């Protein structure tokens, strides 16, 4: 399944030269999935009313890799101010 996060709840423009610009809350187009990237390298994801999932992430250029607390891994890429994810 591919997922596109189209909005970010900050007023900071996403800048590939500044990984901290990726921090904040990203929402899917319909708002059903919300994911917050925190400055300490952790993330929190909520899908509708399902339990929250948390884990760690690492950013390398425009790529992001995730590992949830239960060991599941997936990846994504920042392109034109959007976060594209696959393997969720």
């Amino acid at each position: 399944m591919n997922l596109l996060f189209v909005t970010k709840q900050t007023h900071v423009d996403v800048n590939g030269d500044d990984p901290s610009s990726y921090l904040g809350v990203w929402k899917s187009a319909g708002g059903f999935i919300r994911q917050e990237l925190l400055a300490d390298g952790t993330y929190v994801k909520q899908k509708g009313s399902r339990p929250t999932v948390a884990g760690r992430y690492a950013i390398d250029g425009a790529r992001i890799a995730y590992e949830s607390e239960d060991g599941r891994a997936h990846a994504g890429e920042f392109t034109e101010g959007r976060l594209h994810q696959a393997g969720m």
Side-chain angles (χ1 to χ4, degrees):
M1 170 181 171
N2 290 327
L3 181 63
L4 171 62
F5 288 86
V6 295
T7 62
K8 184 168 140 319
Q9 268 191 340
T10 66
H11 299 290
V12 177
D13 289 329
V14 173
N15 176 353
D17 295 329
D18 180 12
S20 69
S21 70
Y22 298 137
L23 301 179
V25 177
W26 293 80
K27 291 183 180 181
S28 61
F32 181 73
I33 301 173
R34 294 166 305 285
Q35 175 175 277
E36 184 172 10
L37 301 178
L38 302 168
D40 65 357
T42 61
Y43 73 93
V44 178
K45 180 171 59 179
Q46 179 71 41
K47 291 183 181 181
S49 60
R50 294 181 189 170
T52 300
V53 174
R56 300 200 57 75
Y57 72 88
I59 296 175
D60 183 14
R63 300 179 144 252
I64 184 168
Y66 302 90
E67 184 174 352
S68 66
E69 290 175 335
D70 63 3
R72 286 190 249 168
H74 59 278
E77 186 170 359
F78 298 96
T79 307
E80 297 178 0
R82 296 179 175 187
L83 173 53
H84 300 259
Q85 288 185 354
M88 295 186 10

